[in-house]
Amino acid sequence: MLVVKWDFTLKMYHSSLLLCLSLGAFLKWVAGSDWCYTGCEYSPTDWGDLAGSFCGGKRQSPVDIVTSHVQTNPDLLNFNFTNFSSQHVIKTIKNDGHTVKCTLKENEVEVSGGGLNGTYSTIQFHFHWGDTLHHPGSEHTIDGHRYPVEMHIVSLKKGLTVEQAVADSEGIAVLGFFINATEDGDMSGPWNTLTSYLTNDTDTELTVNHAISIDDLIGTVSLTNFYRYMGSLTTPSCNEAVAWTVFHEPININKNLIQRFPAITGSTNVYRPTQALNGRQVFASSATPPPPSHPWCYEDHCMYSPTKWQQLSDSHCGGEHQSPVNIETQKIVVDEHLDTFTYTMFDDKHAIKYITNTGHTVKCVLKEDMVEVSGGGLGYVYSVLQFHFHWGSTSVESKGSEHTVDSKRYPMEMHIVTKRKDLTLDQAIDTPNGLAVLGFFIEAADTTKSSSSSSSSGPHEPNPTSGPTSDMKAWMTLSNSFSAIKNINSEVEITEEISIDDLLGKVNRASYYRYNGSLTTPLCNEAVVWTVFKESVKVDQSVMTLFPTQTGYQNVFRPAQSLHDRTIYASSSAASGPGPIGLFLLLACLCTFLFHLHL
Ligand SMILES: *[C@@H]1O[C@H](CO)[C@@H](O)[C@H](O)[C@H]1NC(C)=O
Ligand SMILES: *[C@@H]1O[C@H](CO)[C@@H](O)[C@H](O)[C@H]1NC(C)=O
Ligand SMILES: *[C@@H]1O[C@H](CO)[C@@H](O)[C@H](O)[C@H]1NC(C)=O
Ligand SMILES: *[C@@H]1O[C@H](CO)[C@@H](O)[C@H](O)[C@H]1NC(C)=O
Ligand SMILES: *[C@@H]1O[C@H](CO)[C@@H](O)[C@H](O)[C@H]1NC(C)=O
Ligand SMILES: *[C@@H]1O[C@H](CO)[C@@H](O)[C@H](O)[C@H]1NC(C)=O
Ligand SMILES: [Zn+2]
Ligand SMILES: [Zn+2]
């Protein structure tokens, strides 16, 4: 099926005209110069609109390999590489504007075994990289970790032409190798030789005169430790024809050689963002080491309950700046610098990539580098990575927020997790303000008590007890997807329209508390600038109940941690009280869900 993307000028024509024009003359065919990674009409999110493209399909590559979700497959035995050690098979090298491609001599290099169905004839290898600012650029990621570079060795099923191979669901085998940057690796070996051919000239194909083999480039990487899944080409037309092999161990090369890719070619960040698995299974060869297990839980039925999280290896959970905390409103300090936030794309209804059940929470993962938050005294621009929830039991009275205010626990808490835009995730979790989390309390929109008390609320608490302040349709849509992720580690794409603004609704985003803390799950890195909003988001009780019932687990919140030497600050509007104490006490009796500021 062809999907047509019209030129902007065409969109301005009357719609009846469009019908006449859709006869082919204005189709944008997938040709070299039509697409790019950034800064043109067809960047990755629009590749699916290119005519003849499969980029919007359900079996796309690359993907994030979540090691705790992979399944070991005993059929993934050793590979048989033919002529990988030959020093005369690399024929030419060319910068084609999207990548640097090394073409091999025809019919000399082969791959079989490794669980592949038959023999594949290797035709070329090429690279994906980031930029000169040390921004990594591998296409696949492992547990969210992106390596600096990825090398793809491309082979076609033996006997098939390129046209036949792209039409066969396993017509192509790509071997993916991560390339890792070392501080002091060899500067004179095969990678120096290969990168000495790099050029910014996209017209000339250079002949490789040096003796250099594919094995020389792969080095000592274990070829028995690998992942396998069925996917696609990672550039348009993204044909779903690839049996992917991603090797677990990276090739380690000197960072100065890695820098040559962006620096000399002038191309940066030439990688496609990760795509949804859509139910696909990633397999691992038997030799691949099992993932680091996460044997932690919230209750007492596992090896590491919260009081023992600090014993997990590399854990920061025993630190002095841990989260969550109890917010004592008597002790908060007003900070005038805590101004309003700027929210970018919070109203985008297609920003959520997928929703997953991690076994500890329900997490909505957002499309990369799209939704942002800044201001609010943060000092940096932060990219929103995901949001997730903490909840209690199935009981209507259940309380499951992580933060508490004057020891009051709310029914639920939503965490919007963001990362400093100028850092990689690995850097961010090691930097005191590398992450910023926005915490929103969630409680029931109580329809029975609402009308009597809302009229007497103070000026700083607009409609605290009226009906839902958020868009209930968005919450219903979100919770409807829970039935598809009942199994732990399952995920599902969200195709219906939901924005973060829809979920937050009219909640006051100017009144908030601020402190320095940590992630609230292992490894509890002390990298988080916390914002906890004073006003709660109001949703229907029935929606809240779906969290414990559909996932099957309850009370997923960490107990409050000691403040130690920390101070909790507040924006000026969060510090102001709700009015005379007498009136407040009266209100507190009427409606227990007001903030207990003066108790
Ligand atoms: C590996 O490939 C070579 C050449 O195609 C072949 O002779 C050999 O039998 C293969 N070995 C295995 C273990 O498949
Ligand atoms: C390996 O390469 C040599 C030449 O270097 C060639 O003669 C031989 O046929 C190749 N092997 C295969 C299986 O293609
Ligand atoms: C292996 O490939 C052949 C054709 O090349 C095909 O007929 C067969 O079904 C494939 N086997 C599997 C297990 O996919
Ligand atoms: C990647 O390189 C760094 C040094 O730059 C090293 O600490 C790390 O262990 C390497 N990663 C792997 C998986 O080899
Ligand atoms: C290409 O690189 C050469 C140096 O190797 C430089 O002089 C030239 O300006 C570059 N061209 C472009 C278009 O960047
Ligand atoms: C967080 O810590 C930094 C120093 O690492 C400090 O400058 C900042 O004021 C602290 N913020 C809060 C809210 O305590
Ligand atoms: Zn590639
Ligand atoms: Zn959380």
Side-chain angles (χ1 to χ4, degrees):
M1 189 173 61
L2 298 183
V3 185
V4 182
K5 175 147 186 168
W6 298 98
D7 280 324
F8 176 70
T9 47
L10 283 182
K11 286 186 191 140
M12 297 168 62
Y13 282 62
H14 195 267
S15 60
S16 63
L17 243 181
L18 282 180
L19 204 63
C20 311
L21 292 171
S22 65
L23 293 171
F26 291 87
L27 286 182
K28 283 246 177 192
W29 290 103
V30 182
S33 59
D34 277 356
W35 61 272
C36 67
Y37 289 101
T38 46
C40 74
E41 189 181 0
Y42 292 98
S43 57
T45 47
D46 296 318
W47 287 356
D49 298 338
L50 286 158
S53 136
F54 300 90
C55 304
K58 294 260 186 269
R59 201 194 112 165
Q60 290 291 296
S61 295
V63 297
D64 178 38
I65 297 169
V66 181
T67 54
S68 60
H69 301 194
V70 303
Q71 211 174 75
T72 302
N73 182 346
D75 297 333
L76 300 179
L77 297 169
N78 291 357
F79 280 101
N80 187 7
F81 301 106
T82 305
N83 276 338
F84 268 49
S85 58
S86 163
Q87 298 206 305
H88 306 283
V89 294
I90 304 176
K91 200 166 63 176
T92 59
I93 183 166
K94 182 170 194 292
N95 175 358
D96 72 6
H98 297 302
T99 187
V100 166
K101 185 164 85 181
C102 297
T103 304
L104 305 181
K105 287 190 183 151
E106 279 162 44
N107 304 318
E108 288 202 11
V109 185
E110 287 178 3
V111 183
S112 62
L116 294 173
N117 177 14
T119 300
Y120 286 76
S121 189
T122 307
I123 56 171
Q124 52 109 327
F125 61 91
H126 63 264
F127 301 91
H128 300 271
W129 61 84
D131 64 29
T132 48
L133 304 170
H134 305 288
H135 184 105
S138 71
E139 296 214 292
H140 290 88
T141 53
I142 292 208
D143 294 329
H145 176 83
R146 193 180 297 286
Y147 280 99
V149 177
E150 187 168 333
M151 173 166 78
H152 287 159
I153 302 178
V154 182
S155 309
L156 306 183
K157 204 169 214 180
K158 202 170 176 180
L160 298 189
T161 62
V162 174
E163 290 71 24
Q164 289 167 332
V166 297
D168 182 325
S169 70
E170 48 180 28
I172 301 173
V174 184
L175 308 179
F177 288 91
F178 294 119
I179 298 177
N180 187 29
T182 64
E183 290 296 323
D184 49 9
D186 183 15
M187 280 294 289
S188 60
W191 283 98
N192 177 49
T193 308
L194 188 85
T195 52
S196 68
Y197 283 92
L198 291 173
T199 168
N200 60 7
D201 173 2
T202 53
D203 296 323
T204 318
E205 190 159 25
L206 299 169
T207 302
V208 176
N209 299 313
H210 289 78
I212 177 171
S213 72
I214 301 173
D215 277 347
D216 289 340
L217 297 171
I218 295 171
T220 56
V221 167
S222 161
L223 298 170
T224 56
N225 297 1
F226 61 88
Y227 302 100
R228 163 68 41 75
Y229 77 98
M230 301 309 282
S232 73
L233 298 176
T234 66
T235 54
S237 331
C238 309
N239 302 66
E240 297 183 333
V242 181
W244 271 98
T245 304
V246 178
F247 290 89
H248 176 76
E249 291 179 8
I251 300 169
N252 283 300
I253 71 175
N254 190 298
K255 66 178 195 320
N256 296 310
L257 297 178
I258 285 178
Q259 281 300 296
R260 288 183 180 174
F261 284 92
I264 300 177
T265 63
S267 304
T268 55
N269 297 318
V270 286
Y271 65 91
R272 185 187 195 192
T274 55
Q275 306 292 305
L277 274 177
N278 295 314
R280 284 175 290 171
Q281 178 68 50
V282 177
F283 297 96
S285 61
S286 311
T288 307
S293 54
H294 299 293
W296 60 270
C297 62
Y298 288 103
E299 70 296 343
D300 297 328
H301 311 302
C302 70
M303 209 185 321
Y304 296 99
S305 53
T307 53
K308 294 183 184 149
W309 285 358
Q310 64 202 71
Q311 296 164 20
L312 287 159
S313 61
D314 300 323
S315 166
H316 305 271
C317 303
E320 299 216 323
H321 291 159
Q322 288 291 297
S323 296
V325 296
N326 176 41
I327 298 166
E328 278 188 75
T329 54
Q330 292 284 6
K331 294 189 182 162
I332 58 174
V333 174
V334 175
D335 182 347
E336 300 295 339
H337 299 106
L338 299 179
D339 54 359
T340 53
F341 288 96
T342 303
Y343 303 95
T344 308
M345 300 287 261
F346 270 54
D347 60 350
D348 188 285
K349 292 186 182 289
H350 300 280
I352 302 174
K353 192 152 80 171
Y354 61 90
I355 179 166
T356 179
N357 174 352
T358 69
H360 301 296
T361 188
V362 164
K363 181 165 84 177
C364 295
V365 177
L366 301 198
K367 292 177 183 157
E368 286 176 55
D369 297 328
M370 190 170 157
V371 184
E372 292 175 0
V373 65
S374 60
L378 290 175
Y380 291 89
V381 178
Y382 287 77
S383 305
V384 181
L385 305 175
Q386 47 107 334
F387 60 88
H388 63 263
F389 302 89
H390 298 270
W391 60 81
S393 70
T394 52
S395 143
V396 175
E397 284 86 42
S398 119
K399 304 281 183 263
S401 70
E402 295 214 292
H403 289 89
T404 51
V405 177
D406 294 329
S407 301
K408 172 187 166 164
R409 194 176 296 287
Y410 285 80
M412 285 184 65
E413 188 169 333
M414 173 176 173
H415 288 161
I416 301 178
V417 181
T418 75
K419 171 189 75 74
R420 244 174 68 181
K421 203 180 167 182
D422 58 326
L423 301 180
T424 65
L425 187 56
D426 288 343
Q427 291 166 336
I429 61 173
D430 280 334
T431 307
N433 59 2
L435 302 171
V437 182
L438 309 181
F440 289 91
F441 295 121
I442 300 174
E443 59 186 332
D446 194 323
T447 46
T448 56
K449 293 175 187 168
S450 65
S451 49
S452 60
S453 50
S454 62
S455 56
S456 43
S457 61
H460 296 288
E461 308 228 288
N463 307 318
T465 54
S466 56
T469 50
S470 52
D471 179 345
M472 281 317 302
K473 199 166 127 271
W475 284 94
M476 294 306 287
T477 306
L478 187 75
S479 54
N480 281 342
S481 66
F482 292 178
S483 59
I485 52 164
K486 284 192 167 178
N487 294 328
I488 288 173
N489 290 342
S490 56
E491 64 183 49
V492 68
E493 221 181 322
I494 298 225
T495 48
E496 286 165 273
E497 302 197 321
I498 311 181
S499 72
I500 301 180
D501 276 348
D502 291 341
L503 295 171
L504 298 180
K506 297 194 294 263
V507 70
N508 180 349
R509 294 188 218 169
S511 289
Y512 59 88
Y513 307 107
R514 166 65 47 78
Y515 76 99
N516 287 333
S518 73
L519 296 175
T520 66
T521 54
L523 302 163
C524 310
N525 301 57
E526 296 186 336
V528 182
V529 180
W530 271 97
T531 304
V532 178
F533 290 86
K534 183 180 165 187
E535 193 180 298
S536 60
V537 175
K538 311 289 190 303
V539 306
D540 281 352
Q541 179 65 46
S542 60
V543 167
M544 291 202 287
T545 308
L546 287 172
F547 285 82
T549 53
Q550 295 280 355
T551 61
Y553 42 84
Q554 310 191 348
N555 299 315
V556 285
F557 60 89
R558 187 188 195 193
Q561 307 293 302
S562 291
L563 259 187
H564 293 286
D565 60 354
R566 289 175 291 177
T567 304
I568 301 180
Y569 297 88
S571 64
S572 41
S573 59
S576 39
I581 289 177
L583 172 63
F584 176 68
L585 287 176
L586 177 65
L587 281 174
C589 300
L590 285 170
C591 50
T592 52
F593 37 84
L594 269 182
F595 290 89
H596 297 189
L597 282 179
H598 291 277
L599 288 184

